[in-house]
Amino acid sequence: MNTTQRRRPRLRDLGIAIGTMAPGPLNAITDVPGVRVGHTTVIEGDSVRTGVTAIHPHEGSAFHHHVPAAIDVLNGAGEITGRALVDEYGVLGSPILITNTLSVGEVHRGCVDWLVRQDPSIGPRHWVAPVVAETYDGYLNDCAGQHVTRQHVHAALDGATDGPVAEGCVGGGTGMILFGLKGGIGTSSRMVSVGGSAHGLGVLVQGNCGALADLRVDGVPVGRMLTGVCSARERREQSDGERDGSIIVVIATDAPLSDRQLGRLCRRGMLGLGRVGSTAHHGSGDLLLAFSNAPENRVALESDDLLQRHTQLRDTAINDLFQATVEATEEAVLNAMVAADSMTGRDGHTVQALPHDQLVEIMRGRS
């Protein structure tokens, strides 16, 4: 088990920039003030390639101070727990955890354990519905072995920080495959000015979807132009019937938005997935969650004030946030691929990393 990863190149390190808007200083979801991310990576022997990723929505306790949130689904062949509560109340009241498909139950239990440790009133006086999302890593990982433990969850939650975010083969993304190549965790951000106020918008993805031929980088059909990266046999083995893979997209902002407006951001995240080549295959779970951690709109778990006051931008003022979501989602997916290493796992299966030299050559030829 480890919770860190050596620094890998990112898309912009290769001289490739997505969109027209400026990224934040870290070009990560942690450019949104207060957001913290932690990973626990679980690599054991020849067959365990998995982990868990944790996101805290703000600098305090999401349980004690809920934030406006929304969840939307592009294709529903996947799971995100706690969705009914987010849909009903329009708020998020727990950290967000992302792992592999068959570890959702243990990660959910681990999050409950961690929250109870933080606040013993859970159970006697309060209840909680953790948000846990998943993608399938069974090609490289002994998924059925359920190797993610509650201790791994605690480590990811306790180790979450507001600095640079490790990407690629890390945390819940350790065993994931993107567009037939090695995928995993990726992140990106954009800075937006609305009415003279600066706001951050960041995206984190756990990517495990798509076919190689569909991969596009800034509109260029790179997947059809790569050579020597994925044999026909490997493509058949990876697809393996209906297990087409999935992607989880988490969108964070400190702009004051309502849960309805955050649902609109989720749908713009879908546009970002389309720009990188996703077609939301039948067996793919493409799930998106957006939240706003604007301090003035946090909802206290306990308050004597029966009147809740909220601030939100006018709908006519959020076009730049839409564009920021599309651009950051596209770049986060590509960062997941650029940062990933080739990996060999269960049954000797090997998935190649996106070759940086070929990518740079292709993009240079299209400039």
Side-chain angles (χ1 to χ4, degrees):
M1 179 188 84
N2 66 71
T3 55
T4 61
Q5 184 201 44
R6 64 185 173 86
R7 171 70 160 82
R8 289 277 294 160
R10 310 183 75 198
L11 190 67
R12 290 176 185 251
D13 294 329
L14 305 182
I16 304 168
I18 296 298
T20 60
M21 304 184 80
L26 299 172
N27 194 13
I29 194 171
T30 46
D31 282 319
V32 178
V35 174
R36 294 169 287 148
V37 177
H39 303 294
T40 303
T41 302
V42 185
I43 297 177
E44 300 170 356
D46 296 329
S47 298
V48 179
R49 306 285 186 272
T50 192
V52 59
T53 292
I55 303 170
H56 293 282
H58 56 73
E59 68 284 349
S61 165
F63 176 69
H64 281 283
H65 290 91
H66 301 177
V67 296
I71 294 173
D72 212 335
V73 177
L74 176 59
N75 195 69
E79 177 63 85
I80 182 166
T81 70
R83 182 189 175 194
L85 188 65
V86 173
D87 288 348
E88 185 70 23
Y89 293 163
V91 294
L92 172 70
S94 82
I96 302 161
L97 292 142
I98 319 175
T99 188
N100 77 70
T101 304
L102 299 186
S103 292
V104 169
E106 189 69 4
V107 171
H108 192 282
R109 291 182 65 184
C111 185
V112 171
D113 286 351
W114 187 87
L115 287 166
V116 169
R117 187 181 71 193
Q118 305 295 314
D119 189 339
S121 73
I122 297 174
R125 289 196 301 120
H126 298 298
W127 59 279
V128 65
V131 172
V132 182
E134 55 79 24
T135 61
Y136 176 77
D137 61 8
Y139 183 72
L140 289 170
N141 175 52
D142 173 27
C143 188
Q146 301 178 69
H147 298 281
V148 177
T149 68
R150 279 173 274 181
Q151 289 69 37
H152 294 142
V153 178
H154 300 167
L157 288 164
D158 287 333
T161 66
D162 59 1
V165 176
E167 296 172 293
C169 309
V170 65
T174 300
M176 302 304 167
I177 302 168
L178 260 172
F179 296 99
L181 301 172
K182 192 64 190 71
I185 299 292
T187 189
S188 184
S189 71
R190 296 293 184 271
M191 302 306 295
V192 178
S193 179
V194 181
S197 297
H199 297 288
L201 183 142
V203 172
L204 183 142
V205 304
Q206 180 168 296
N208 187 59
C209 65
L212 178 61
D214 296 331
L215 174 63
R216 304 181 74 86
V217 178
D218 202 22
V220 178
V222 166
R224 283 180 268 161
M225 304 167 76
L226 295 171
T227 60
V229 293
C230 188
S231 69
R233 178 185 60 80
E234 288 168 336
R235 286 194 294 272
R236 287 194 303 272
E237 288 177 345
Q238 288 174 23
S239 61
D240 195 14
E242 294 300 313
R243 294 194 290 272
D244 290 331
S246 303
I247 188 164
I248 304 300
V249 179
V250 178
I251 304 160
T253 185
D254 62 344
L257 301 179
S258 69
D259 59 300
R260 176 186 60 80
Q261 292 172 322
L262 290 163
R264 301 183 77 192
L265 290 192
C266 286
R267 292 187 286 278
R268 273 59 184 188
M270 297 176 190
L271 295 178
L273 295 179
R275 279 173 50 154
V276 81
S278 171
T279 56
H281 288 176
H282 167 71
S284 187
D286 307 315
L287 311 175
L288 301 94
L289 182 153
F291 66 84
S292 164
N293 69 5
E296 63 268 31
N297 288 347
R298 298 176 191 177
V299 179
L301 177 66
E302 295 182 335
S303 174
D304 294 328
D305 190 349
L306 299 182
L307 183 63
Q308 291 182 181
R309 299 169 179 83
H310 290 273
T311 301
Q312 70 176 59
L313 294 174
R314 290 182 180 272
D315 283 339
T316 53
I318 61 178
N319 280 337
D320 283 351
L321 290 167
F322 288 163
Q323 181 178 344
T325 302
V326 175
E327 290 188 10
T329 301
E330 180 182 6
E331 186 165 347
V333 173
L334 296 171
N335 274 336
M337 298 184 72
V338 171
D341 290 305
S342 298
M343 178 174 283
T344 298
R346 182 181 66 82
D347 296 334
H349 292 161
T350 297
V351 180
Q352 301 298 323
L354 176 66
H356 297 172
D357 55 349
Q358 284 195 55
L359 174 60
V360 170
E361 183 178 355
I362 291 169
M363 298 304 292
R364 185 182 296 125
R366 291 300 184 100
S367 63

